[in-house]
Amino acid sequence: MRRSFLLFAVIIFLSAKGFAQELPFVKESVFQPGEVLTYKLKYGFITAAEGTLKVLNSDLKFDGNPTYRLSVDGVTSGTFDVFYKIRDHYDSYIDKVNLKPYFFQENIREGSYRRQDKARFNQEEKKVVATKGTFSTPNNQTFDLVSSYYFARSLDISKMKSGEYVKLNYFLGDEVNQLEIQYLGREIVKTKLGKISCLKFSPSIKPGRIFRKDSKLYLWITDDGNRVPVKAQVEIIVGSVIMEIKSADGLKYPLAIVN
């Protein structure tokens, strides 16, 4: 299955259950240029892959507007790297104010498989011009996989109650789908960075070759101004996959460390 690291570590949790209205986000983004997050992806007790996510200033302007460049790298490690080498790279250029994407590109190298795709987002005209064609979107707030991750962090969830959902439109490959995320409450999670007060969510997933019909995905993000994901866990057909944070540099706010 392609997009291996990003699919698991950023948005492996895909659904299509009716499109939501435009989502509110906090007036200031929760991230800043210079932020670097690193994660490891574990299959059982084995570290299968590692990922690095960066927020960078960009010299590129789209429609005259300044942008951030969001950069993601995913690589296999250890034994997995010997048998099936992955070197995936993704870039998303987003508006500095409303955080919507203008341009997305991916360079996929997985074993002998190679692919390079690009997508240009026109939010006002509700369309995406991509390598595989032009696609209509349901509203003027549609994201690629990388920008959806950063936008979701910046959502205003201050009024959300346990059991409520938020839905996010995204473009992937040759179609527009939706990510549905349920808020479950607060928990303290032990991480490499210390014990952290977190918000717990359950993003929806599609059963298939990887996920069982009863598979559940859980995601924990810091209960502070950063909204940084620190852990994700999902059961697959054989075993389970866990994502854990390794390091977090250049954060805008202090982490919610519990003494």
Side-chain angles (χ1 to χ4, degrees):
M1 187 172 184
R2 306 303 176 190
R3 298 179 178 88
S4 301
F5 178 81
L6 191 64
L7 195 62
F8 276 107
V10 182
I11 295 185
I12 56 179
F13 5 92
L14 310 182
S15 177
K17 300 183 179 179
F19 294 98
Q21 300 296 317
E22 185 159 329
L23 295 167
F25 60 97
V26 293
K27 292 182 179 180
E28 246 183 67
S29 62
V30 300
F31 52 86
Q32 62 184 358
E35 180 188 275
V36 180
L37 307 175
T38 63
Y39 295 89
K40 62 180 179 181
L41 196 68
K42 296 171 63 179
Y43 178 68
F45 296 101
I46 303 172
T47 298
E50 297 184 352
T52 303
L53 293 77
K54 298 178 181 179
V55 180
L56 306 167
N57 274 314
S58 170
D59 294 329
L60 294 182
K61 290 186 176 182
F62 290 85
D63 304 328
N65 299 316
T67 62
Y68 291 125
R69 175 187 163 206
L70 309 177
S71 175
V72 177
D73 288 285
V75 302
T76 44
S77 59
T79 304
F80 281 82
D81 198 50
V82 175
F83 291 100
Y84 191 70
K85 189 183 296 291
I86 291 176
R87 297 293 185 271
D88 292 349
H89 179 79
Y90 311 82
D91 286 304
S92 179
Y93 292 84
I94 66 170
D95 190 282
K96 282 190 173 183
V97 178
N98 62 36
L99 309 183
K100 298 177 186 179
Y102 290 110
F103 181 73
F104 173 75
Q105 62 183 1
E106 57 183 2
N107 183 4
I108 307 299
R109 294 185 295 161
E110 301 180 358
S112 60
Y113 178 80
R114 300 288 186 273
R115 190 188 72 255
Q116 291 183 325
D117 281 344
K118 297 179 181 180
R120 176 70 162 91
F121 291 77
N122 189 322
Q123 304 287 356
E124 294 305 316
E125 295 186 11
K126 300 179 183 179
K127 68 179 182 180
V128 180
V129 180
T131 302
K132 297 181 180 180
T134 300
F135 304 87
S136 297
T137 63
N139 60 21
N140 60 359
Q141 197 177 54
T142 300
F143 303 87
D144 56 73
L145 286 184
V146 176
S147 62
S148 63
Y149 162 79
Y150 284 91
F151 184 83
R153 285 176 55 189
S154 298
L155 283 174
D156 184 359
I157 58 175
S158 59
K159 297 181 180 179
M160 282 191 73
K161 298 178 181 179
S162 181
E164 292 184 339
Y165 289 84
V166 63
K167 299 177 182 181
L168 194 68
N169 302 322
Y170 68 92
F171 173 78
L172 176 62
D174 58 359
E175 62 180 348
V176 177
N177 281 307
Q178 188 177 80
L179 171 67
E180 184 177 88
I181 310 172
Q182 184 181 29
Y183 173 56
L184 298 179
R186 288 176 165 80
E187 286 187 4
I188 294 176
V189 178
K190 185 177 180 180
T191 75
K192 186 176 180 180
L193 308 180
K195 292 182 179 180
I196 299 178
S197 179
C198 291
L199 305 173
K200 184 179 181 180
F201 295 87
S202 180
S204 56
I205 57 178
K206 284 183 178 179
R209 291 189 302 169
I210 292 182
F211 306 114
R212 304 195 310 259
K213 289 183 179 180
D214 60 345
S215 290
K216 290 288 186 180
L217 172 71
Y218 297 105
L219 176 68
W220 291 265
I221 68 172
T222 60
D223 187 11
D224 54 32
N226 302 295
R227 295 287 193 262
V228 172
V230 296
K231 183 179 179 181
Q233 181 175 327
V234 64
E235 293 181 345
I236 57 178
I237 291 177
V238 180
S240 63
V241 175
I242 297 175
M243 181 194 77
E244 296 178 340
I245 195 166
K246 290 180 61 181
S247 63
D249 299 312
L251 297 179
K252 196 170 184 178
Y253 305 99
L255 283 174
I257 301 293
V258 178
N259 296 323

